[in-house]
């Protein structure tokens, strides 16, 4: 049976980009994806490119690389990622002091500009001026998550990469080394396996007896099919409660509970936001639930009502438009940075997951990782290693 240099588990944006970059280096690469069409966090992402938001030398460097890379990525991949530059509006609810909220962004690489309610409504006429005390604005980028991932997959195939639609059910272990994966239909062998499975990464690795400090939320959003109504900007809330939940639930104290089903550490968060894609469709949301069982069934009835009501306060024209509810798992880490590299104490197994802003982080980091595994020294990849949590 054929053996590969790399098996990549998961065909979302992380797996697609990493497979492409590894194949570019001359490796034989097999990409395994459970579904024939995109699902999960990649499919339902806003795909906002917040490369203005770096607050450290590391994130500033990566976000600058991401900005440059997205400008020529369509050309390199020979497919349209639907990259565009849009103004981002971060709305400030009336219960907050705009000047105090603005200080939360003072360390950003590009500091968002605080604007009045009137200025915000001039930039985005669909805003409800009664619902906000002001807003922050900053130039931002945006891509189609589906188009970008498909572009990577097609480019990967063109340079000799192989993709199989198969559910990975386990890892092949030989001594202290992972030497392949089992799927529902057969076994594949490789010198290296890398897990790019997003929100299910923790559960999958734990089932193989491999602990890792990557976590997940159950995210919910509404998708409005193409409409004539036009948003001039991307709209998010300046106070992102989701990140507060992630910080509170990724501490060492919760680690054991994460591997027990049935826990909900904190109440769900709801961050009202809306992004319109080039085809006129709109995604609004999002609710985030920290539930330890990745297979928990979510009842959409109350969620849809809550999301509609919250977005209706800020953008009333969107509240009652026909929409479809969706749910997926979103990965995050204990320090808001991804886990990239070899998993400790076991040879042949790697992780590429836990991205808080995947469409910003992934393109430069996939390229860096591929360079690193062929011998190029990279201090950033070393800093993002799972070893940092030992």
């Amino acid at each position: 049976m054929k053996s590969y240099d790399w098996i990549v588990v998961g065909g979302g944006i992380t797996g697609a980009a990493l497979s492409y970059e590894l194949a570019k280096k001359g490796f034989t690469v097999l990409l395994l994806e459970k579904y024939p069409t995109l699902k999960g966090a990649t499919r339902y992402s806003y795909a906002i490119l917040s490369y203005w938001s770096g607050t450290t030398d590391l994130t500033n460097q990566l976000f600058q690389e991401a900005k440059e890379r997205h400008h020529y990525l369509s050309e390199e991949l020979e497919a349209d990622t639907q990259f565009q530059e849009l103004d981002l509006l971060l709305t400030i609810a009336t219960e907050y002091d705009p000047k105090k909220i603005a200080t939360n962004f003072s360390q950003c690489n590009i500091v968002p500009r605080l604007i009045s309610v009137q200025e915000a409504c001039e930039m985005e006429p669909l805003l409800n001026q009664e619902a906000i005390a002001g807003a922050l604005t900053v130039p931002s980028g945006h891509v189609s998550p589906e188009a970008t991932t498909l572009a990577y997959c097609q480019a990967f195939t063109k340079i000799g990469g192989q993709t199989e639609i198969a559910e990975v059910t386990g890892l092949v272990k030989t001594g202290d080394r992972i030497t392949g994966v089992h799927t529902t239909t057969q076994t594949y062998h490789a010198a290296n396996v890398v897990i790019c499975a997003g929100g299910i990464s923790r559960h999958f690795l734990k089932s193989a007896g491999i602990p890792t400090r990557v976590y997940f939320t159950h995210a919910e959003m509404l998708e409005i099919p193409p409409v004539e109504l036009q948003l001039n900007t991307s709209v998010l809330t300046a106070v992102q409660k989701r990140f507060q939940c992630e910080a509170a639930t990724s501490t060492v104290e919760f680690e054991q509970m994460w591997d027990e089903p049935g826990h909900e550490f904190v109440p769900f968060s709801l961050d009202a936001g809306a992004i319109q894609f080039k085809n006129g469709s709109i995604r609004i949301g999002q609710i985030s639930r920290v539930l330890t069982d990745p297979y928990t069934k979510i009842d959409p009835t109350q969620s849809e009502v809550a999301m509609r009501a919250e977005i209706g306060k800020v953008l009333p024209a969107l509240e009652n438009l026909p929409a479809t509810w969706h749910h997926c798992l979103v990965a995050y880490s204990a320090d808001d940075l991804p886990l990239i590299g070899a998993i400790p104490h076991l040879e042949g197994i790697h992780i590429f997951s836990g991205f808080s802003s995947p469409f910003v982080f992934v393109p430069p980091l996939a390229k860096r990782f591929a360079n690193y595994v062929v011998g190029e020294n990279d201090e950033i990849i070393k800093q993002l290693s799972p070893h940092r949590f030992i």
Side-chain angles (χ1 to χ4, degrees):
M1 180 177 288
K2 181 178 180 180
S3 181
Y4 298 86
D5 296 320
W6 288 85
I7 289 176
V8 178
V9 179
I13 183 59
T14 53
L18 188 57
S19 295
Y20 167 73
E21 296 292 355
L22 289 169
K24 272 179 63 180
K25 292 298 180 184
F27 291 114
T28 55
V29 183
L30 173 64
L31 172 59
L32 294 172
E33 166 53 39
K34 180 178 179 180
Y35 300 106
T37 57
L38 269 180
K39 296 183 183 291
T42 294
R43 165 64 178 84
Y44 303 118
S45 172
Y46 285 153
I48 292 173
L49 307 176
S50 53
Y51 33 62
W52 54 272
S53 63
T55 56
T56 65
D57 290 344
L58 185 151
T59 53
N60 288 338
Q61 174 67 33
L62 290 174
F63 287 179
Q64 180 59 36
E65 291 176 19
K67 185 175 182 178
E68 295 170 359
R69 190 137 177 73
H70 275 290
H71 273 88
Y72 65 81
L73 193 58
S74 291
E75 181 180 354
E76 177 182 332
L77 302 179
E78 299 181 337
D80 185 10
T81 66
Q82 299 183 25
F83 171 78
Q84 58 182 327
E85 293 184 320
L86 291 172
D87 288 321
L88 175 63
L89 276 181
L90 300 168
T91 59
I92 302 171
T94 53
E95 64 261 34
Y96 296 113
D97 179 342
K99 290 184 179 179
K100 287 184 178 180
I101 296 300
T103 63
N104 296 338
F105 296 84
S106 61
Q107 301 302 311
C108 292
N109 185 40
I110 301 174
V111 179
R113 181 169 62 92
L114 179 62
I115 59 175
S116 67
V117 173
Q118 181 180 348
E119 289 176 289
C121 292
E122 288 172 357
M123 289 184 67
E124 183 49 75
L126 293 179
L127 279 176
N128 173 18
Q129 63 179 5
E130 303 299 327
I132 62 173
L136 296 158
T137 186
V138 64
S140 187
H142 182 248
V143 293
S144 162
E146 299 101 313
T148 303
T149 306
L150 180 61
Y152 268 120
C153 288
Q154 291 176 338
F156 168 62
T157 301
K158 286 180 183 177
I159 58 176
Q162 183 179 344
T163 300
E164 296 287 345
I165 303 303
E167 180 181 359
V168 177
T169 57
L171 300 172
V172 180
K173 188 176 180 183
T174 306
D176 291 329
R177 184 175 186 89
I178 299 301
T179 57
V181 300
H182 299 293
T183 72
T184 51
T185 58
Q186 61 180 298
T187 297
Y188 297 94
H189 297 278
N192 296 280
V193 175
V194 57
I195 306 302
C196 301
I200 203 69
S201 296
R202 180 188 181 91
H203 183 78
F204 176 80
L205 287 167
K206 185 62 180 179
S207 68
I210 302 172
T212 185
R213 291 193 67 187
V214 64
Y215 311 94
F216 56 89
T217 58
H218 291 257
E220 302 169 65
M221 51 80 70
L222 297 174
E223 187 167 49
I224 299 167
V227 290
E228 292 184 4
L229 177 147
Q230 185 67 47
L231 284 165
N232 289 348
T233 62
S234 302
V235 179
L236 297 177
T237 177
V239 179
Q240 289 280 309
K241 297 175 183 176
R242 164 198 158 196
F243 296 127
Q244 298 171 14
C245 291
E246 291 177 358
T249 57
S250 56
T251 62
V252 173
E253 290 75 18
F254 285 125
E255 197 65 23
Q256 183 175 345
M257 295 173 66
W258 264 104
D259 297 318
E260 303 168 355
H263 293 295
E264 183 172 12
F265 298 125
V266 293
F268 74 80
S269 62
L270 173 50
D271 298 311
I275 174 67
Q276 188 165 34
F277 293 79
K278 280 190 171 183
N279 69 353
S281 66
I282 301 173
R283 290 177 193 170
I284 65 175
Q286 101 184 29
I287 284 177
S288 299
R289 301 178 190 271
V290 188
L291 303 168
T292 57
D293 184 352
Y295 301 109
T296 298
K297 298 295 183 184
I298 306 293
D299 181 359
T301 308
Q302 293 183 342
S303 299
E304 181 168 346
V305 171
M307 283 189 284
R308 286 186 180 278
E310 198 66 20
I311 200 67
K313 295 176 185 177
V314 183
L315 295 164
L318 304 185
E319 182 174 3
N320 295 314
L321 291 177
T324 304
W325 173 89
H326 295 285
H327 160 256
C328 63
L329 299 180
V330 174
Y332 65 99
S333 77
D335 61 2
D336 203 34
L337 291 171
L339 277 74
I340 295 177
I343 294 176
H345 312 308
L346 200 59
E347 296 293 319
I349 182 71
H350 310 256
I351 190 169
F352 193 74
S353 186
F355 293 86
S356 59
S357 299
F359 285 88
V360 183
F361 275 123
V362 167
L365 283 173
K367 186 173 184 178
R368 280 177 169 270
F369 182 84
N371 289 336
Y372 181 74
V373 297
V374 295
E376 183 175 308
N377 184 50
D378 193 312
E379 292 302 321
I380 286 181
I381 293 296
K382 291 178 182 177
Q383 289 179 62
L384 299 179
S385 166
H387 285 77
R388 71 185 188 268
F389 292 124
I390 295 177

